[in-house]
Amino acid sequence: MPRISGAQDLQAYLDQSVKANAGLESAAAVLVEVAAAAVKMSDLIGLGQLYGRLGASRDSANADGDVQKELDVLANEMFVEALRAAPVYAVVSEELPEPLLLDPTAHVVVSMDPLDGSSNIDANVSIGTIFSVLPTLPAASSLDAHFLQPGRAQIAAGFVIYGPQTSIVFALGANATEIFTLDRSDGRFYHAVTIGPIPRASAEYAINASNYRHWEPSIRSFIEDCARGADGPMKRNYNMRWVASLVAEAYRILLRGGIFLYPGDQRPGYADGRLRLLYEGNPIALIVERAGGVATDGIEPLLDVVPTAIHQRAPLVFGSAEPVRLVARYRSDPKVSAERAPLFGARGLIRG
């Protein structure tokens, strides 16, 4: 079937953006190479077990100690090789223990999670690639230092989602969050939708409820009040979602609202949550904010956090403005969580 007539392709959009702002040229070149590698990755994922056991575990671990899957390693190799064709000074990846120097003459660095949601590889659930583009720092004292910038310094950020459609979701420069979808008939991405504003309220929340016993009291209180539905202080019924794929959760929230929570908890090593700040939290936070949503560490805007390590973890709460800000109130005001938010029922802060 033919696509919508006249849809702009990705290259034309990038050319137009660079014409309006020449400072985006390097970031646009990164997007070109990410998109080209994503087409190959989409084809590979589409083969599933016809290619082999892409979800099989290797006898190796990534920089954070997670067991690597076959597709984790293949994706890392594929995207690193793609970035060699772009003007990229260095790259940080979830699958690399240290930054990798690529082009000493270039002026941007890239952080990436080459394969997000790897636990879903063999389950035919949407998985993805997440990326962030930062400017190099002339006064940087080490390779790491170029990456240790707050998320607001990002020139571009986004993700590719490999699902029923393969789409690249990104924000470039000061532009809005855009979605371009792959037309497999010619291997090119075409504009599908400009995102925003994300609905300010929603009746959906996403959290891994199996960690309930480890959450701090304020997070328990918020989720319990959502679960109480119309009988509780929220005064509306909620649905819980959990895909265990950050890109899938983000894509849904960008299109129809909701809230995603991956807070820190009491498990050893999880005080700062599970997600990595540079190549998961910050890129998602940028595209959510550009779409009119809110992204925090549970209290403060995530994009204001100054990283101290390339594989640093950070709590992440993002989505519709009202519930995200309400979580911050549960966490910052002991009376709110202790009293089970009695004021919110009357004031209807999450009423649609």
Side-chain angles (χ1 to χ4, degrees):
M1 295 180 64
R3 62 179 174 273
I4 297 174
S5 176
Q8 185 181 39
D9 73 2
L10 179 61
Q11 186 64 63
Y13 173 87
L14 295 175
D15 290 344
Q16 181 179 316
S17 298
V18 171
K19 185 176 181 180
N21 182 355
L24 298 177
E25 184 174 6
S26 293
V30 169
L31 281 163
V32 168
E33 298 305 328
V34 166
V39 175
K40 298 175 183 177
M41 180 61 61
S42 180
D43 289 342
L44 176 59
I45 292 169
L47 288 172
Q49 296 198 38
L50 294 177
Y51 180 88
R53 288 296 309 282
L54 293 172
S57 298
R58 285 196 169 194
D59 294 326
S60 59
N62 64 20
D64 205 49
D66 297 329
V67 174
Q68 291 178 307
K69 303 294 182 65
E70 185 69 23
L71 190 57
D72 286 321
V73 177
L74 290 173
N76 186 70
E77 293 172 350
M78 189 176 295
F79 280 96
V80 168
E81 189 61 29
L83 293 176
R84 292 185 187 278
V88 175
Y89 183 83
V91 60
V92 156
S93 165
E94 183 177 18
E95 308 305 327
L96 298 173
E98 302 292 339
L100 177 65
L101 181 65
L102 297 182
D103 180 357
T105 68
H107 300 290
V108 298
V109 294
V110 174
S111 304
M112 67 174 180
D113 180 355
L115 202 287
D116 169 71
S118 57
S119 64
N120 290 313
I121 292 170
D122 289 336
N124 202 22
V125 173
S126 296
I127 54 182
T129 299
I130 311 175
F131 61 91
S132 167
V133 184
L134 286 164
T136 55
L137 299 176
S141 59
S142 67
L143 201 54
D144 283 19
H146 293 287
F147 296 91
L148 303 182
Q149 303 180 57
R152 294 205 186 278
Q154 293 174 107
I155 306 170
F159 63 84
V160 182
I161 182 168
Y162 312 105
Q165 310 103 34
T166 291
S167 292
I168 183 167
V169 183
F170 65 91
L172 174 64
N175 298 342
T177 297
E178 305 284 359
I179 297 180
F180 282 72
T181 297
L182 176 63
D183 183 339
R184 298 182 189 280
S185 68
D186 65 2
R188 297 161 68 187
F189 286 89
Y190 291 87
H191 187 255
V193 61
T194 299
I195 296 296
I198 296 172
R200 290 185 57 81
S202 172
E204 293 184 330
Y205 64 94
I207 193 167
N208 186 350
S210 68
N211 295 325
Y212 172 87
R213 66 192 184 281
H214 303 296
W215 296 336
E216 63 179 62
S218 62
I219 297 296
R220 287 192 192 185
S221 295
F222 175 78
I223 296 301
E224 287 171 358
D225 286 347
C226 289
R228 290 166 65 191
D231 297 327
M234 305 299 193
K235 300 301 181 184
R236 68 184 300 173
N237 293 321
Y238 281 78
N239 289 318
M240 192 188 86
R241 310 293 185 200
W242 185 250
V243 186
S245 169
L246 180 58
V247 296
E249 309 281 7
Y251 197 86
R252 182 187 65 250
I253 288 172
L254 286 167
L255 289 173
R256 71 187 195 201
I259 181 173
F260 170 96
L261 306 94
Y262 208 125
D265 61 46
Q266 298 172 6
R267 290 173 293 168
Y270 282 77
D272 293 318
R274 177 64 177 166
L275 301 174
R276 285 70 167 189
L277 177 61
L278 292 189
Y279 42 82
E280 291 175 319
N282 276 342
I284 295 298
L286 183 71
I287 62 176
V288 166
E289 282 204 6
R290 289 292 172 77
V294 176
T296 74
D297 62 3
I299 299 178
E300 302 296 336
L302 193 72
L303 293 177
D304 293 338
V305 175
V306 179
T308 57
I310 59 172
H311 295 294
Q312 178 178 339
R313 293 184 181 187
L316 178 59
V317 179
F318 71 85
S320 297
E322 290 184 5
V324 173
R325 289 172 177 153
L326 185 55
V327 168
R329 292 191 65 181
Y330 270 65
R331 294 201 63 214
S332 61
D333 184 351
K335 292 182 179 180
V336 172
S337 56
E339 297 175 7
R340 314 305 295 234
L343 297 177
F344 298 150
R347 299 173 68 181
L349 294 187
I350 304 188
R351 184 170 297 122

